[in-house]
Amino acid sequence: LALAAVTDDGRLLLHFERARTNFLTGEVTLTPTLIELGYVGNASHVLISASLRDLFVVERSGLLHYYDISHLDAARLVRSERAFDDARTEVTAAAHLLGAVSLIIGGSDGSVRQWFLTRDQDKQRQLTMIRAFKRHRAPVTMIAPELSRKGFVTGDATGNIALHYPTSHNTLLRERIAQTGIIEAAISPRNNALFVTDAAGVLRYFDVRNEHPDFSLSALWHKVWYENRDAPEYVWQSSSATDEFESKYSLVPLTVGTLKAAFYAMLFAMPLSIMGAVYSAYFMSRRMRGWTKPTIEIMEALPTVILGFLAGLWFAPYVEHHLPAMFSILLLMPLSFLAVSLLWTRPANALRTRIGMGWEAALLIPVVLLVGWFCISLSPWMELWFFGGDMRQWLTDVGINYEQRNAMIVGVAMGFAVIPNIYSIAEDAVFNVPKHLTQGSLALGATTWQTVTRVVLLTASPGIFAALMIGFGRAIGETMIVLMATGNSPVVNFNIFEGLRTLSANIAVEMPEAEYGSTHYRILFLSALVLFVFTFVVNTLAEMVRQRLRRRYSAI
């Protein structure tokens, strides 16, 4: 128990009662401690935080004093701030919001401001003015916080009341209810009733319908300065274990996570699927194409929950323990393909005449296996030679945070889910290019590669673009892979080594636990609408681009 008081002569006293309970007898022993913290001026309010670590003294002159009382033997005045910009403005009301973290200060000029503790660049705690609400036209006479949310009611000397909510930074209601000043007010625990007493001694009762005050477009899409945060941030954190929790409903981390997952998935899938489609449709032999195309298309039947399961429980730990191998594969695999291609094009190559045209890709299968095995076998040695034996720790030391389930894992796993869609449509588009166009190009002296780049790809570009957009839409709406392989951390960055949370995965995780009709429940449906609008706009623009490409190259 902690009590604070200011005496007539201005001394600030702090009284602690510490209780100890005997484990065997149940006897409770109280140990009192009285501390004198110095002198203050004309104090109007003395407030202690719920953690009993911070003491705030508000002077009528407008000064706010912050005392650190976390250690009784070293309790001290940390800093003093002026509550209002105008030194002539006096403090006429002050109160803690639910949780005793935020201070709401009302002034003689009608100002209403929110303050709470933050940390500066030196990690020192200081009182910071967070936001100012719409000003009353008369001095603020009372502040009444809600009992189950962060909202509060203010009243002034002319009989006006106002309902405010800090998170959404909204003044929800301003209304004159009395002819004299407001003395006191109280809000019911369910926030559906308001009792107000004015200077004439009249008690008034009001029905209140204020179900979703923490919602606003600003809170959804702009940075918000939440309690216990050192700066405004984009945060999604819908629930906690305490009733004093301030819900954080920013959709920015979820939207960024959705785009991040789709971007890395397309970065992995797009070159493989498009180049594979061009090769199989134009260069590959008919017999090999008859095996390759159905094999790739049957990958689409693989349930995404299986891909997510493998990515989260097997692939993510495997990549973490073989990080050098992953990067060496990205470097050595293309180089090995180029080396094999150079050997293949040598005039004295007898193998080329035996195998025949269109079967070159089959030779790359052992190359892929051999290079992959070589990189994985060399991974521990590379980690020892270049990264001090632990590449993940090396990344941390250079300031790059690495999480086991990250965007790279999602890109690979979701890329495998997207490749069949893109490949199938793009391959059909390339294969259906009229033969007279390619034959005419070759007859006029163009090489096979020139024909592909200047005739085939241009003619098939509407179909290829449609394939990419369909794959992108599939990546945007994917749920199970990102749910199981990302860690579901709603962060706002495009770091390939950190996790993410997407709109679809967030709906799948939180909808079963959301209270029906609550703000959380409604925002989840709103996020589903955002996902729908986003995919609708992207697909509409894609269709416009596809039609333009079709009109442009239809004359070829």
Side-chain angles (χ1 to χ4, degrees):
L1 176 68
L3 299 172
V6 178
T7 61
D8 285 339
D9 57 355
R11 290 181 299 129
L12 177 60
L13 303 178
L14 181 63
H15 180 80
F16 267 90
E17 291 280 353
R18 295 189 179 276
R20 292 181 178 272
T21 304
N22 189 296
F23 174 71
L24 298 177
T25 64
E27 180 182 358
V28 179
T29 304
L30 296 177
T31 304
T33 304
L34 182 63
I35 302 173
E36 185 172 329
L37 296 177
Y39 289 85
V40 295
N42 185 15
S44 60
H45 298 83
V46 181
L47 302 167
I48 301 177
S49 66
S51 62
L52 305 184
R53 297 172 54 90
D54 309 303
L55 171 64
F56 307 97
V57 178
V58 184
E59 291 190 20
R60 185 171 295 277
S61 62
L63 284 177
L64 305 180
H65 304 290
Y66 162 50
Y67 291 83
D68 183 359
I69 59 173
S70 57
H71 302 285
L72 295 182
D73 54 348
R76 61 188 178 90
L77 173 64
V78 178
R79 194 164 181 175
S80 298
E81 300 283 351
R82 182 160 292 280
F84 304 103
D85 299 331
D86 190 349
R88 297 172 297 177
T89 303
E90 296 183 348
V91 175
T92 55
H96 264 313
L97 289 186
L98 177 69
V101 174
S102 292
L103 284 171
I104 303 298
I105 307 296
S108 58
D109 62 348
S111 299
V112 179
R113 293 189 172 188
Q114 179 187 9
W115 294 71
F116 57 71
L117 293 175
T118 61
R119 294 185 183 273
D120 58 16
Q121 296 180 350
D122 299 325
K123 303 301 179 182
Q124 300 297 318
R125 304 177 79 197
Q126 61 180 2
L127 261 177
T128 305
M129 200 282 289
I130 304 302
R131 55 180 64 90
F133 298 89
K134 289 185 179 180
R135 180 178 298 182
H136 285 263
R137 298 180 181 178
V140 178
T141 56
M142 52 73 54
I143 298 172
E146 294 183 343
L147 302 178
S148 58
R149 296 187 306 207
K150 296 293 183 179
F152 63 97
V153 176
T154 56
D156 63 25
T158 58
N160 290 285
I161 63 168
L163 271 68
H164 311 274
Y165 205 90
T167 306
S168 58
H169 198 185
N170 275 342
T171 297
L172 305 164
L173 172 69
R174 296 185 66 180
E175 186 174 336
R176 186 171 186 179
I177 62 171
Q179 300 300 318
T180 58
I182 305 300
I183 301 299
E184 193 56 77
I187 305 174
S188 67
R190 294 190 177 184
N191 309 305
N192 58 0
L194 173 65
F195 295 89
V196 180
T197 304
D198 61 15
V202 179
L203 175 64
R204 292 177 171 84
Y205 164 74
F206 298 92
D207 287 323
V208 179
R209 184 175 180 181
N210 187 23
E211 298 177 357
H212 310 287
D214 46 352
F215 168 82
S216 70
L217 291 178
S218 176
L220 290 178
W221 299 107
H222 293 169
K223 288 185 176 181
V224 177
W225 203 331
Y226 299 102
E227 290 182 346
N228 296 318
R229 301 274 175 166
D230 297 332
E233 294 178 296
Y234 298 115
V235 182
W236 175 274
Q237 189 178 1
S238 57
S239 61
S240 178
T242 62
D243 295 333
E244 296 84 9
F245 172 72
E246 182 180 18
S247 298
K248 305 168 181 64
Y249 293 126
S250 177
L251 293 181
V252 173
L254 307 181
T255 305
V256 170
T258 303
L259 296 176
K260 181 178 176 180
F263 172 77
Y264 286 116
M266 295 298 292
L267 191 65
F268 177 80
M270 184 171 63
L272 293 179
S273 55
I274 296 299
M275 294 180 184
V278 172
Y279 179 81
S280 62
Y282 192 75
F283 294 99
M284 190 176 289
S285 66
R286 182 180 298 274
R287 184 178 177 185
M288 188 175 181
R289 179 176 178 269
W291 286 94
T292 303
K293 191 171 188 293
T295 302
I296 296 178
E297 289 179 342
I298 205 172
M299 289 171 53
E300 193 171 357
L302 187 66
T304 56
V305 66
I306 302 299
L307 290 175
F309 176 83
L310 293 175
L313 297 185
W314 171 76
F315 187 60
Y318 190 83
V319 169
E320 183 182 16
H321 292 96
H322 298 84
L323 274 176
M326 300 300 110
F327 294 98
S328 59
I329 286 174
L330 292 177
L331 178 64
L332 294 181
M333 195 70 74
L335 294 178
S336 64
F337 289 172
L338 290 176
V340 173
S341 300
L342 289 176
L343 294 175
W344 178 259
T345 55
R346 292 184 63 180
N349 191 350
L351 186 63
R352 184 172 57 184
T353 58
R354 291 184 179 182
I355 294 180
M357 299 296 293
W359 287 87
E360 300 91 344
L363 295 177
L364 293 178
I365 296 177
V367 175
V368 170
L369 297 177
L370 182 62
V371 172
W373 172 83
F374 175 76
C375 293
I376 293 173
S377 301
L378 197 61
S379 178
W381 299 100
M382 294 179 61
E383 200 163 22
L384 186 62
W385 293 335
F386 300 107
F387 305 106
D390 190 343
M391 185 175 178
R392 178 173 180 176
Q393 184 60 45
W394 181 85
L395 290 172
T396 303
D397 293 340
V398 298
I400 301 175
N401 184 33
Y402 183 89
E403 298 177 2
Q404 186 185 85
R405 300 185 182 185
N406 51 50
M408 180 173 64
I409 304 300
V410 173
V412 174
M414 197 154 64
F416 274 106
V418 171
I419 282 176
N421 298 78
I422 303 177
Y423 170 84
S424 180
I425 300 174
E427 204 271 348
D428 289 338
V430 175
F431 187 77
N432 290 326
V433 172
K435 298 300 181 182
H436 67 272
L437 294 179
T438 58
Q439 293 171 357
S441 175
L442 295 172
L444 291 173
T447 63
T448 305
W449 182 248
Q450 289 174 332
T451 301
V452 169
T453 56
R454 301 182 184 182
V455 177
V456 175
L457 289 182
L458 294 181
T459 307
S461 59
I464 295 175
F465 187 78
L468 291 176
M469 289 300 101
I470 290 175
F472 183 72
R474 167 74 185 277
I476 287 289
E478 179 56 48
T479 302
M480 293 310 299
I481 294 177
V482 294
L483 185 63
M484 303 176 71
T486 62
N488 283 317
S489 51
V491 295
V492 185
N493 61 51
F494 273 84
N495 184 1
I496 194 173
F497 298 124
E498 289 192 28
L500 53 94
R501 177 180 288 195
T502 65
L503 289 165
S504 57
N506 187 68
I507 294 171
V509 169
E510 299 193 3
M511 183 62 77
E513 300 179 359
E515 179 187 355
Y516 176 78
S518 64
T519 303
H520 181 205
Y521 184 85
R522 292 169 179 250
I523 289 179
L524 290 177
F525 271 93
L526 177 63
S527 61
L529 179 61
V530 170
L531 186 61
F532 168 76
V533 171
F534 184 80
T535 54
F536 178 80
V537 170
V538 169
N539 289 335
T540 301
L541 294 176
E543 179 63 19
M544 294 172 61
V545 173
R546 190 179 70 85
Q547 293 293 345
R548 184 174 180 179
L549 291 173
R550 175 178 290 180
R551 289 194 299 269
R552 181 174 181 178
Y553 297 114
S554 60
I556 297 181

